[in-house]
Amino acid sequence: MQFGIFSVSDITTDPTTGRTPTEAQRIKDIVTIAKHAEQAGLDVFALGEHHNEPFFSSSPTTTLAYIAAQTSTLQLSTATTLITTNDPVKIAEDFAMLQHLADGRVDLMLGRGNTGPVYPWFGKDIRAGIPLALENYGLLHKLWREHVVDWEGKFRTPLQSFTSTPRPLDDVPPFVWHGSIRSPQIAEQAAYYGDGFFANHIFWPASHTERMVGLYRQRFEHYGHGSADQAIVGLGGQVFMRRNSQDAVKEFRPYFDNAPVYGHGPSLEDFTRETPLTVGSPQQVIDRTLGFREYVGDYQRQLWLMDHAGLPLKTVLEQLDILGEEVVPVLRKEFAALKPAHVPDAPTHASLLASKNAKEEVQA
């Protein structure tokens, strides 16, 4: 099982000091955070895409390429890549390039985002969000698997005898996770292609996540990709830890209360009760995370949001150390002991390449 962190790239004032980091500082800090995640023994770093304040990550592949040059084992991903407003041709090219630069340590999460104005900014209609997501991914999937593409759709210029360059590394496209908070159509899309489904799992109760993942698993099996429990599932989450749970709550409360995402809404106590947010001791995080398996089944990737809401860099790095030293080693052992042998691990470039070579040997 893969464990890691994701960032939404917010630039938020620290409510305890009144300081707001500059864009330059946050961009440099995110590189430090990603490198520290690898040093702490985590597997994945994922970066979101936004085109509006207070976020900085408008070009995640640029940042991930820079991080790739300074890491050696970290799997690099997005959280998310906007499949509705980005050109599928550009996505195909950018991620294939990143694949080569990172020696295959790349996958991506596709989503529609949560910023309505991004649609007209890029000449799209938000009312066509789902059809855009379906058509654009159909083209992206084709571009990575066919050398010469002829294509015509509703939302972009037709392609005639087009070849996306560079080609995917080893002729193996990056693995795709389809990320969603609330859209069953996206779970259906992930199942249709046999791709991964990533449930945001941050703002909604367990019952909602259970239904979304259950739909994806059922449809994954329906399309003949394997049994329902072999479907590839990822979950998001949020944690804040201190040795003593009371200290964690006291320290995190002002950040929660003022966060642009969920501040000035439900209380911290209500939010931690109704959603997967866990603020407490490392053991509480372990217990809560192990509990996710009870309603989503065996899953392959767990990512946490840790650098948001104005938390200072020093605090974020401390959180990563706690994750790496006290939480993830226990979770690795416990999840591994529970997982049946027929349930696959999270796909990597190496595993996808091995599967491709095995199929070619059989066909030969």
Side-chain angles (χ1 to χ4, degrees):
M1 185 166 171
Q2 294 176 336
F3 297 94
I5 58 171
F6 70 101
S7 175
V8 296
S9 82
D10 63 307
I11 301 174
T12 304
T13 301
D14 184 333
T16 68
T17 65
R19 296 194 187 100
T20 304
T22 63
E23 289 179 320
Q25 187 60 58
R26 274 292 279 143
I27 291 169
K28 292 295 180 67
D29 284 352
I30 208 68
V31 175
T32 299
I33 289 167
K35 291 164 62 177
H36 200 85
E38 179 175 271
Q39 294 163 7
L42 301 182
D43 306 307
V44 182
F45 173 77
L47 182 60
E49 177 187 349
H50 290 275
H51 298 275
N52 58 292
E53 295 179 333
F55 307 97
F56 70 79
S57 183
S58 59
S59 179
T61 52
T62 304
T63 312
L64 293 175
Y66 188 75
I67 292 169
Q70 301 178 66
T71 55
S72 58
T73 62
L74 196 64
Q75 183 78 7
L76 304 170
S77 188
T78 50
T80 64
T81 293
L82 301 178
I83 188 60
T84 45
T85 51
N86 278 306
D87 183 354
V89 172
K90 196 69 171 76
I91 296 175
E93 295 173 338
D94 284 351
F95 279 89
M97 181 70 76
L98 180 57
Q99 248 196 332
H100 285 273
L101 292 171
D103 296 323
R105 293 183 288 123
V106 173
D107 54 53
L108 68 158
M109 187 193 307
L110 298 177
R112 291 180 294 138
N114 57 10
T115 305
V118 75
Y119 285 83
W121 292 341
F122 287 86
K124 307 299 181 182
D125 186 338
I126 192 171
R127 292 170 296 183
I130 293 292
L132 272 166
L134 300 178
E135 180 178 295
N136 283 356
Y137 182 60
L139 175 55
L140 175 61
H141 190 271
K142 189 180 185 75
L143 288 167
W144 275 336
R145 288 163 176 83
E146 297 181 17
H147 192 80
V148 179
V149 171
D150 292 304
W151 177 91
E152 185 172 351
K154 180 180 179 181
F155 297 107
R156 84 172 308 282
T157 305
L159 296 174
Q160 294 163 350
S161 300
F162 178 77
T163 298
S164 175
T165 59
R167 302 304 299 155
L169 178 65
D170 300 318
D171 201 28
V172 175
F175 185 75
V176 171
W177 301 83
H178 298 259
S180 180
I181 297 176
R182 62 189 178 276
S183 302
Q185 298 95 328
I186 302 305
E188 174 76 16
Q189 183 183 40
Y192 176 81
Y193 287 101
D195 295 335
F197 179 67
F198 190 92
N200 180 278
H201 201 223
I202 287 181
F203 302 116
W204 293 70
S207 57
H208 174 78
T209 301
E210 181 179 15
R211 287 193 298 272
M212 289 287 285
V213 173
L215 170 64
Y216 161 67
R217 290 189 183 279
Q218 176 188 6
R219 301 302 288 171
F220 182 94
E221 183 172 299
H222 168 79
Y223 288 116
H225 300 299
S227 60
D229 61 353
Q230 291 177 311
I232 308 299
V233 174
L235 295 182
Q238 296 169 276
V239 296
F240 187 86
M241 298 169 288
R242 289 302 182 201
R243 307 279 177 202
N244 182 290
S245 60
Q246 288 81 6
D247 291 338
V249 170
K250 181 179 179 182
E251 184 175 348
F252 188 66
R253 187 181 299 280
Y255 295 98
F256 176 89
D257 288 345
N258 292 280
V261 175
Y262 42 50
H264 313 292
S267 69
L268 176 59
E269 287 73 17
D270 286 344
F271 206 83
T272 53
R273 183 177 61 253
E274 299 296 332
T275 78
L277 172 65
T278 306
V279 181
S281 68
Q283 188 60 52
Q284 286 176 299
V285 171
I286 290 169
D287 294 341
R288 190 81 179 276
T289 306
L290 288 172
F292 297 162
R293 183 179 179 274
E294 296 175 6
Y295 56 89
V296 302
D298 291 289
Y299 64 110
Q300 285 77 10
R301 175 175 284 186
Q302 173 67 56
L303 302 183
W304 291 284
L305 177 62
M306 309 205 69
D307 72 315
H308 62 125
L311 288 166
L313 177 62
K314 177 177 180 292
T315 301
V316 175
L317 300 183
E318 290 170 352
Q319 294 292 302
L320 294 179
D321 286 336
I322 297 171
L323 266 184
E325 293 169 8
E326 301 185 42
V327 175
V328 167
V330 177
L331 291 176
R332 284 195 200 281
K333 181 179 178 180
E334 295 294 331
F335 276 118
L338 293 167
K339 184 172 78 72
H342 70 280
V343 173
D345 293 328
T348 62
H349 183 77
S351 68
L352 294 172
L353 178 59
S355 177
K356 171 181 173 289
N357 290 340
K359 288 179 181 178
E360 289 177 350
E361 288 180 10
V362 170
Q363 292 170 355

Short mmCIF file of all heavy atoms in Angstrom, two decimals, residues 321-347:
data_model
loop_
_atom_site.label_atom_id
_atom_site.label_comp_id
_atom_site.label_asym_id
_atom_site.label_seq_id
_atom_site.Cartn_x
_atom_site.Cartn_y
_atom_site.Cartn_z
N ASP A 321 7.42 13.94 9.90
CA ASP A 321 8.28 13.07 10.71
C ASP A 321 7.45 12.12 11.57
O ASP A 321 7.78 10.93 11.70
CB ASP A 321 9.22 13.90 11.59
CG ASP A 321 10.33 14.56 10.80
OD1 ASP A 321 10.68 14.05 9.72
OD2 ASP A 321 10.86 15.60 11.26
N ILE A 322 6.37 12.63 12.15
CA ILE A 322 5.51 11.78 12.96
C ILE A 322 4.86 10.70 12.09
O ILE A 322 4.80 9.52 12.47
CB ILE A 322 4.43 12.61 13.68
CG1 ILE A 322 5.07 13.60 14.65
CG2 ILE A 322 3.47 11.69 14.45
CD1 ILE A 322 4.09 14.61 15.25
N LEU A 323 4.41 11.10 10.91
CA LEU A 323 3.84 10.13 9.98
C LEU A 323 4.84 9.03 9.66
O LEU A 323 4.53 7.83 9.73
CB LEU A 323 3.42 10.81 8.68
CG LEU A 323 2.01 11.31 8.49
CD1 LEU A 323 1.85 11.86 7.07
CD2 LEU A 323 0.98 10.23 8.75
N GLY A 324 6.06 9.44 9.29
CA GLY A 324 7.06 8.49 8.85
C GLY A 324 7.60 7.60 9.94
O GLY A 324 7.94 6.43 9.70
N GLU A 325 7.68 8.14 11.16
CA GLU A 325 8.28 7.39 12.25
C GLU A 325 7.28 6.55 13.04
O GLU A 325 7.60 5.44 13.47
CB GLU A 325 8.99 8.36 13.21
CG GLU A 325 10.20 9.06 12.59
CD GLU A 325 10.71 10.20 13.46
OE1 GLU A 325 10.21 10.35 14.61
OE2 GLU A 325 11.59 10.95 13.00
N GLU A 326 6.08 7.07 13.23
CA GLU A 326 5.16 6.43 14.17
C GLU A 326 3.87 5.89 13.55
O GLU A 326 3.27 4.97 14.11
CB GLU A 326 4.79 7.42 15.28
CG GLU A 326 6.00 7.94 16.06
CD GLU A 326 5.59 8.81 17.23
OE1 GLU A 326 4.61 8.45 17.92
OE2 GLU A 326 6.23 9.86 17.44
N VAL A 327 3.44 6.47 12.45
CA VAL A 327 2.13 6.11 11.90
C VAL A 327 2.23 5.15 10.72
O VAL A 327 1.67 4.05 10.75
CB VAL A 327 1.35 7.38 11.50
CG1 VAL A 327 0.04 7.02 10.81
CG2 VAL A 327 1.10 8.26 12.72
N VAL A 328 2.95 5.55 9.69
CA VAL A 328 2.99 4.74 8.47
C VAL A 328 3.59 3.35 8.68
O VAL A 328 3.05 2.37 8.13
CB VAL A 328 3.72 5.52 7.35
CG1 VAL A 328 4.06 4.61 6.17
CG2 VAL A 328 2.84 6.68 6.88
N PRO A 329 4.67 3.19 9.45
CA PRO A 329 5.18 1.82 9.65
C PRO A 329 4.14 0.86 10.23
O PRO A 329 4.06 -0.30 9.83
CB PRO A 329 6.36 2.01 10.60
CG PRO A 329 6.83 3.41 10.34
CD PRO A 329 5.57 4.18 10.07
N VAL A 330 3.33 1.36 11.16
CA VAL A 330 2.29 0.52 11.75
C VAL A 330 1.20 0.23 10.72
O VAL A 330 0.74 -0.91 10.58
CB VAL A 330 1.68 1.20 12.99
CG1 VAL A 330 0.53 0.37 13.56
CG2 VAL A 330 2.75 1.43 14.05
N LEU A 331 0.80 1.26 9.97
CA LEU A 331 -0.24 1.06 8.96
C LEU A 331 0.21 0.10 7.87
O LEU A 331 -0.57 -0.74 7.42
CB LEU A 331 -0.63 2.41 8.35
CG LEU A 331 -1.38 3.37 9.27
CD1 LEU A 331 -1.62 4.70 8.56
CD2 LEU A 331 -2.71 2.77 9.74
N ARG A 332 1.47 0.19 7.45
CA ARG A 332 1.98 -0.73 6.44
C ARG A 332 1.83 -2.17 6.91
O ARG A 332 1.35 -3.04 6.18
CB ARG A 332 3.46 -0.46 6.16
CG ARG A 332 3.76 0.74 5.33
CD ARG A 332 5.21 0.68 4.83
NE ARG A 332 5.70 1.98 4.44
CZ ARG A 332 5.43 2.58 3.30
NH1 ARG A 332 4.62 1.97 2.43
NH2 ARG A 332 5.92 3.76 3.01
N LYS A 333 2.24 -2.41 8.13
CA LYS A 333 2.20 -3.76 8.67
C LYS A 333 0.76 -4.26 8.82
O LYS A 333 0.44 -5.39 8.43
CB LYS A 333 2.91 -3.78 10.03
CG LYS A 333 2.96 -5.14 10.69
CD LYS A 333 3.70 -5.06 12.02
CE LYS A 333 3.70 -6.42 12.71
NZ LYS A 333 4.42 -6.36 14.02
N GLU A 334 -0.10 -3.41 9.36
CA GLU A 334 -1.48 -3.83 9.61
C GLU A 334 -2.25 -4.05 8.32
O GLU A 334 -2.97 -5.04 8.16
CB GLU A 334 -2.18 -2.79 10.49
CG GLU A 334 -1.60 -2.66 11.89
CD GLU A 334 -1.81 -3.90 12.73
OE1 GLU A 334 -2.81 -4.63 12.50
OE2 GLU A 334 -0.98 -4.17 13.61
N PHE A 335 -2.13 -3.13 7.38
CA PHE A 335 -2.85 -3.28 6.12
C PHE A 335 -2.34 -4.48 5.33
O PHE A 335 -3.11 -5.20 4.69
CB PHE A 335 -2.74 -2.01 5.28
CG PHE A 335 -3.74 -0.94 5.62
CD1 PHE A 335 -3.33 0.30 6.09
CD2 PHE A 335 -5.10 -1.18 5.47
CE1 PHE A 335 -4.25 1.29 6.40
CE2 PHE A 335 -6.04 -0.20 5.79
CZ PHE A 335 -5.61 1.04 6.25
N ALA A 336 -1.03 -4.70 5.35
CA ALA A 336 -0.46 -5.85 4.64
C ALA A 336 -0.97 -7.16 5.20
O ALA A 336 -1.23 -8.13 4.47
CB ALA A 336 1.06 -5.80 4.70
N ALA A 337 -1.10 -7.23 6.52
CA ALA A 337 -1.58 -8.45 7.16
C ALA A 337 -3.04 -8.74 6.82
O ALA A 337 -3.46 -9.90 6.77
CB ALA A 337 -1.41 -8.35 8.67
N LEU A 338 -3.81 -7.69 6.55
CA LEU A 338 -5.23 -7.85 6.28
C LEU A 338 -5.53 -8.12 4.81
O LEU A 338 -6.56 -8.70 4.47
CB LEU A 338 -5.98 -6.59 6.72
CG LEU A 338 -6.01 -6.30 8.23
CD1 LEU A 338 -6.50 -4.88 8.49
CD2 LEU A 338 -6.89 -7.30 8.96
N LYS A 339 -4.65 -7.67 3.91
CA LYS A 339 -4.93 -7.73 2.46
C LYS A 339 -4.82 -9.14 1.91
O LYS A 339 -3.78 -9.77 2.03
CB LYS A 339 -3.97 -6.79 1.72
CG LYS A 339 -4.24 -6.70 0.22
CD LYS A 339 -3.40 -5.62 -0.43
CE LYS A 339 -1.97 -6.06 -0.65
NZ LYS A 339 -1.83 -7.07 -1.73
N PRO A 340 -5.85 -9.65 1.26
CA PRO A 340 -5.77 -10.97 0.61
C PRO A 340 -4.75 -10.95 -0.53
O PRO A 340 -4.49 -9.91 -1.14
CB PRO A 340 -7.19 -11.19 0.07
CG PRO A 340 -8.06 -10.26 0.86
CD PRO A 340 -7.20 -9.08 1.17
N ALA A 341 -4.22 -12.10 -0.84
CA ALA A 341 -3.16 -12.21 -1.84
C ALA A 341 -3.62 -11.79 -3.23
O ALA A 341 -2.83 -11.30 -4.04
CB ALA A 341 -2.62 -13.63 -1.89
N HIS A 342 -4.91 -11.96 -3.55
CA HIS A 342 -5.38 -11.66 -4.89
C HIS A 342 -5.67 -10.18 -5.11
O HIS A 342 -5.95 -9.76 -6.24
CB HIS A 342 -6.65 -12.47 -5.21
CG HIS A 342 -7.85 -12.03 -4.45
ND1 HIS A 342 -8.09 -12.40 -3.15
CD2 HIS A 342 -8.90 -11.23 -4.81
CE1 HIS A 342 -9.22 -11.88 -2.73
NE2 HIS A 342 -9.73 -11.15 -3.71
N VAL A 343 -5.60 -9.37 -4.05
CA VAL A 343 -5.82 -7.93 -4.19
C VAL A 343 -4.51 -7.26 -4.60
O VAL A 343 -3.50 -7.41 -3.92
CB VAL A 343 -6.34 -7.33 -2.87
CG1 VAL A 343 -6.41 -5.80 -2.97
CG2 VAL A 343 -7.71 -7.90 -2.54
N PRO A 344 -4.49 -6.53 -5.73
CA PRO A 344 -3.24 -5.98 -6.23
C PRO A 344 -2.74 -4.80 -5.42
O PRO A 344 -3.49 -4.16 -4.69
CB PRO A 344 -3.60 -5.53 -7.65
CG PRO A 344 -5.07 -5.21 -7.57
CD PRO A 344 -5.64 -6.21 -6.60
N ASP A 345 -1.44 -4.54 -5.56
CA ASP A 345 -0.85 -3.33 -5.01
C ASP A 345 -1.15 -2.15 -5.94
O ASP A 345 -1.66 -2.33 -7.05
CB ASP A 345 0.67 -3.48 -4.87
CG ASP A 345 1.05 -4.52 -3.83
OD1 ASP A 345 0.31 -4.67 -2.84
OD2 ASP A 345 2.08 -5.19 -4.02
N ALA A 346 -0.82 -0.96 -5.50
CA ALA A 346 -1.00 0.20 -6.36
C ALA A 346 -0.09 0.08 -7.58
O ALA A 346 1.08 -0.28 -7.46
CB ALA A 346 -0.66 1.47 -5.59
N PRO A 347 -0.61 0.35 -8.76
CA PRO A 347 0.22 0.25 -9.96
C PRO A 347 1.37 1.25 -9.95
O PRO A 347 1.23 2.38 -9.48
CB PRO A 347 -0.76 0.57 -11.10
CG PRO A 347 -2.11 0.29 -10.53
CD PRO A 347 -2.01 0.65 -9.09
#
